[in-house]
Amino acid sequence: MERRRAPRMPPPAIAAAAMAAQRLLVPEVRSSTGLKLMAGLLAIGGAGLALGAGLSFHAAKTTANPRRPENSTALVTTGLFARTRNPMYLGMVAVSTSYAMWRGSLLGLVPSVALACWLDQFQIPAEEDALAQKYGQAYWQYQRAVPRWIPSTERGKTHAR
């Protein structure tokens, strides 16, 4: 079976395009102070996830280049990566979602959902193929133990996706 290739467009550019679409195509609606506060907290949390994950890659001296996952020199499975296999992408989706919340528009969630779907269907599978090819059994065990997206509070469950 041929390995899927990572898309040419890097995920941060796709996330930026999703947020640009929110700004250009979706009218801003007057939103409550509470909604803006929740949006701000979600943005801070999402940015913290992405930054923390990037720092984990830096500490492990491995690449965070999503277009070249085969250049990885270490399989990072600790810290944030012990709870979700994709904290950087989860953070990007959270920031995009927070922008829709800030703008007060449910319609603004459409680009955020599109971003999550694009990552889930194109970017992540290509990365998973490369990591499975490079790390074999160690990656498959990690993949079974840690969910692709949302951390679970249940222990001992397998997460084959």
Side-chain angles (χ1 to χ4, degrees), residues 26-105:
V26 180
E28 186 169 359
V29 177
R30 180 178 280 264
S31 59
S32 70
T33 302
L35 186 60
K36 288 199 183 277
L37 178 62
M38 287 190 324
L41 292 173
L42 182 59
I44 291 167
L49 270 175
L51 180 62
L55 290 173
S56 293
F57 273 38
H58 181 74
K61 295 180 173 56
T62 191
T63 184
N65 182 348
R67 296 183 337 173
R68 297 278 184 206
E70 65 276 4
N71 291 347
S72 165
T73 58
L75 182 60
V76 180
T77 61
T78 58
L80 293 169
F81 290 92
R83 303 289 296 156
T84 173
R85 294 195 316 263
N86 295 286
M88 285 183 211
Y89 298 153
L90 187 57
M92 285 180 202
V93 171
V95 169
S96 177
T97 300
S98 74
Y99 188 55
M101 290 171 62
W102 183 270
R103 294 181 56 78
S105 172

Side-chain angles (χ1 to χ4, degrees), residues 4 7 11 14 84-86 89-90 93 112-128 147-150 160-161:
R4 288 171 274 208
I14 298 294
T84 173
R85 294 195 316 263
N86 295 286
Y89 298 153
L90 187 57
V93 171
S112 296
V113 171
L115 169 63
C117 290
W118 182 86
L119 290 167
D120 194 64
Q121 295 300 308
F122 300 106
Q123 184 67 43
I124 294 171
E127 292 178 14
E128 288 177 338
R148 179 183 269 185
W149 283 104
I150 305 296
R161 184 136 204 250

